[in-house]
Amino acid sequence: MTSNNLLNGGQVIIDYLIREKVPYIFGLCGHGNIGIIDAMYERSEDIKTISVHHESISGFMADVYYRVSGQPTATFTSCGPGSSNLPICLGNAFLDSVPFLAITGNVPTSQFNRGAFQELYRHYQADFPSTVQAYCKRVYQPTRGEQVPLMVRQAWKTMVTGRPGPVVLDVPFDIFKEAATEETPRPEEWSANISSRCGADPEGVVKAVEMLLGAEKPVIVVGQGVRYGGAAEELLAIAERLQIPVASSASGLGALPVEHPLSLGLVQRGGTYQANHSCRQADVLLALGVRFDDRTASSWLPGYSFTIPPTRLIHVDIDPEEIGRNYPVALGLMADVRTFLRQVIQELDRRGHKPGGTDANRNWLAEIETYRAKWNDFVAPGMKDESSPINPQRAAVEIDKALPENAILVSDIGVHHNWLLQFCNPTRPDSLIGSMGFGPMGFGVGGVMGAKLAAPDRPAVSVCGDGAFFMHANVLGTAVEYDIPVVWVVWNNYAYGSIRGLQRGYLENRELATDFHHPETGQPYSPDFAAMARSAGVEGVSVDRPGDLGDAIQAGIASGKPYLIDANISGDLNPPGAGVWELPGIGVNKPAIGERYVPGKS
């Protein structure tokens, strides 16, 4: 408390987080944020502090914590370089629509524009907000204690309403200790009673149902709006009732269990043949919470992922900015996807619709089964490959087989992510978590700890490249210090493998700055990650045979402690797919299976 018995700025912020039921705050100390750390100390029984060893890890932990639990959390970082390490994780959360509150310290207001230590002042005083405004939904910067209660509740509301995303609360040093208010705002009077689950235009719902019922080759394609919008149950009900197959963007994979008969799996440049070939032939495509980015849409080249038009697109999204961004729509509806699907079910009930497909549906699904069989035959050899280093397809299959049904697999960015998307079979929306929009290395390395804290009773496993793990090996210390029993599988291919693959595929094997070699022997080089783990107090093992990889994962989970597996994976294979990707000015790759679909051409 301050001398006049008012709460100070730091106390208001922490009290508000507690009122919003935030269980953890992740971050790193600095001279600019010791005021709020003091407030955290006072309330350490009510909110737990996790101190990391690099600021970006705090953001990745907060990000994945939300993806698993649905509960937003917060981070704390100091002024200058401390908070300047945040944009990588803020950008990731922003593009993937994940909320967390980033509390950043700044220089004292009395020192604004004087060039105090770590002040960004060349264009505007205490100008950290300009650094991050492109990476988040909004930046709030209180410059008086009395502004803190208003701005903290506004920041939270901005973060969780509409299309969710991260918000920055940038607080000058003195404001953490300045008198602010007698009482913290009550969430139940502000953000807690706001619903953003808007429904679609009723006439639009009727039109959407008519289009779906009249379609001969309908497909549903789902994105993150279904997974994190809590619409998986409604999706399953609609798909089964209308007998419509479901394809998933990388962000939507797991919204429908991949092994469900109506699941087509991944549609994108590296998508399955049944998903891509079905989507590009669809006469009606119902897109739910999908951005249609270049990977999902095969660089928007018609006939690979989609053929819009003549495919008629029904695009449903809570953010109208995404509707009609990349494809023309036959019907665009701004709505929360769960509310929209419930409206569709009500409209079907009103019509007296009986569950089950039409003859056209049955013929369409039978045709799709031939695509599925073709894909299964195509990928069959990699399922049994016993070679060492481990075939990456076989590695993905062994990882998937080893994980319990309730496990959380958090993938980092890299070539391994594409293999996991193709050959893992997530059974629930939070079974396979990855970075889809911004793609920062380290997301899975640090994020897996957030997953484990969000779901202590579920195994949490990270698959991360050797490049990403080496960047963020500081996580070993955090896992030990806070006893967070996660498993890291380091996909060690001795390279920045996905980029080396582009050099090989598009630049006639002109490789530079993408692989790691020992200067004396010229042999592939990486640190001994297992030994590195053991030096930090984490059990570390090395694996180079496919049959041992699953056993090592199960042993790591069973240990109940932090555990690292250094897996020697071949880097000479790229994930096959039925789509393509264009690097403008360099070229377009060829699909590994199938060919471009041209409407009307047999």
Side-chain angles (χ1 to χ4, degrees), residues 20-24 26 61-74 98-100 156 227-228 230 408 428-431 433 447 449-456 458:
E20 287 286 3
K21 299 179 172 56
V22 174
Y24 292 98
F26 310 103
M61 291 179 70
D63 181 318
V64 179
Y65 189 98
Y66 174 82
R67 297 190 200 217
V68 173
S69 69
Q71 168 66 55
T73 56
V98 176
F100 71 86
W156 192 273
R227 288 177 65 188
Y228 301 127
I408 306 167
R428 49 194 285 177
D430 59 358
S431 292
I433 295 172
M449 294 190 292
K452 186 62 180 178
L453 293 174
R458 297 174 61 188

Side-chain angles (χ1 to χ4, degrees), residues 40 84 104 137-138 163 214 234 240 337 396 491 505 602:
M40 290 152 50
S84 294
T104 60
K137 284 189 73 174
R138 177 74 191 269
R163 181 175 180 173
E234 289 78 9
E240 291 185 339
V337 292
W491 188 285
S602 59

Side-chain angles (χ1 to χ4, degrees), residues 1-8 11 178-183:
M1 294 289 191
T2 58
S3 58
N4 58 0
N5 210 35
L6 295 176
L7 294 170
N8 64 39
Q11 290 169 327
E178 188 172 302
T181 187
E182 291 183 355
E183 186 176 6

Side-chain angles (χ1 to χ4, degrees), residues 515-590:
D515 53 7
F516 316 138
H517 286 106
H518 194 280
E520 297 176 359
T521 66
Q523 293 299 307
Y525 163 79
S526 273
D528 186 336
F529 291 111
M532 182 186 293
R534 291 192 294 270
S535 74
V538 173
E539 181 68 23
V541 298
S542 298
V543 171
D544 59 10
R545 295 186 301 181
D548 296 335
L549 181 55
D551 291 341
I553 292 172
Q554 291 176 348
I557 293 171
S559 74
K561 296 181 178 299
Y563 198 94
L564 182 141
I565 301 162
D566 186 354
N568 187 10
I569 310 291
S570 172
D572 294 329
L573 297 174
N574 286 317
V580 297
W581 203 37
E582 180 182 24
L583 293 177
I586 296 180
V588 181
N589 68 321
K590 294 181 179 180

Side-chain angles (χ1 to χ4, degrees), residues 47-392:
I47 185 169
K48 186 169 183 179
T49 300
I50 303 291
S51 173
V52 298
H53 295 281
H54 192 277
E55 287 85 357
S56 65
I57 296 299
S58 67
F60 294 143
M61 291 179 70
D63 181 318
V64 179
Y65 189 98
Y66 174 82
R67 297 190 200 217
V68 173
S69 69
Q71 168 66 55
T73 56
T75 63
F76 64 98
T77 53
S78 188
C79 50
S83 293
S84 294
N85 281 324
L86 274 183
I88 184 174
C89 46
L90 285 170
N92 185 68
F94 191 37
L95 293 189
D96 280 5
S97 306
V98 176
F100 71 86
L101 184 64
I103 304 161
T104 60
N106 212 319
V107 300
T109 57
S110 61
Q111 297 179 1
F112 275 17
N113 212 35
R114 302 189 72 177
F117 180 54
Q118 297 182 333
E119 181 191 11
L120 294 165
Y121 66 95
R122 297 289 182 87
H123 298 286
Y124 192 80
Q125 66 267 19
D127 202 16
F128 182 72
S130 292
T131 305
V132 291
Q133 63 182 354
Y135 291 83
C136 62
K137 284 189 73 174
R138 177 74 191 269
V139 184
Y140 293 85
Q141 188 187 64
T143 54
R144 300 192 308 274
E146 64 194 44
Q147 293 178 313
V148 173
L150 171 69
M151 289 191 178
V152 71
R153 67 168 174 80
Q154 288 181 335
W156 192 273
K157 188 196 86 166
T158 299
M159 184 177 74
V160 299
T161 54
R163 181 175 180 173
V167 168
V168 173
L169 183 65
D170 188 63
V171 185
F173 179 90
D174 51 318
I175 304 304
F176 285 129
K177 286 296 187 179
E178 188 172 302
T181 187
E182 291 183 355
E183 186 176 6
T184 304
R186 298 176 180 273
E188 58 270 23
E189 296 173 357
W190 298 98
S191 59
N193 293 324
I194 300 174
S195 172
S196 295
R197 290 197 176 274
C198 55
D201 165 31
E203 292 181 2
V205 174
V206 172
K207 185 176 180 181
V209 169
E210 289 174 349
M211 291 174 66
L212 292 171
L213 292 177
E216 293 187 355
K217 294 184 174 183
V219 175
I220 298 172
V221 59
V222 298
Q224 185 159 297
V226 176
R227 288 177 65 188
Y228 301 127
E233 182 179 336
E234 289 78 9
L235 171 68
L236 177 62
I238 292 288
E240 291 185 339
R241 182 165 182 171
L242 298 179
Q243 287 296 289
I244 298 179
V246 178
S248 302
S249 73
S251 299
L253 206 63
L256 185 74
V258 170
E259 294 186 325
H260 189 282
L262 290 170
S263 172
L264 300 172
L266 181 69
V267 56
Q268 61 144 252
R269 62 178 186 179
T272 67
Y273 182 65
Q274 63 268 22
N276 282 52
H277 201 42
S278 298
C279 285
R280 62 198 181 203
Q281 295 183 83
D283 57 351
V284 173
L285 188 73
L286 173 60
L288 302 170
V290 182
R291 292 190 301 119
F292 289 112
D293 68 296
D294 60 323
R295 293 178 298 174
T296 301
S298 290
S299 297
W300 308 289
L301 298 172
Y304 290 108
S305 290
F306 307 104
T307 316
I308 306 170
T311 296
R312 293 182 296 158
L313 174 63
I314 306 169
H315 195 172
V316 182
D317 202 286
I318 197 169
D319 185 353
E321 291 285 332
E322 298 298 347
I323 301 172
R325 179 188 296 278
N326 290 317
Y327 286 116
V329 293
L331 178 62
L333 297 171
M334 186 190 80
D336 166 71
V337 292
R338 188 178 77 179
T339 304
F340 168 76
L341 290 175
R342 290 179 177 180
Q343 289 177 293
V344 170
I345 292 170
Q346 290 172 353
E347 175 62 16
L348 291 171
D349 290 342
R350 186 187 70 80
R351 291 168 178 251
H353 175 268
K354 295 181 179 179
T358 64
D359 288 340
N361 276 117
R362 286 184 280 274
N363 291 336
W364 176 225
L365 293 175
E367 187 176 345
I368 288 172
E369 286 308 303
T370 67
Y371 310 155
R372 196 188 307 273
K374 185 174 181 178
W375 172 257
N376 289 340
D377 289 344
F378 176 70
V379 301
M383 300 291 187
K384 299 175 288 187
D385 191 339
E386 293 288 342
S387 61
S388 178
I390 304 170
N391 178 310

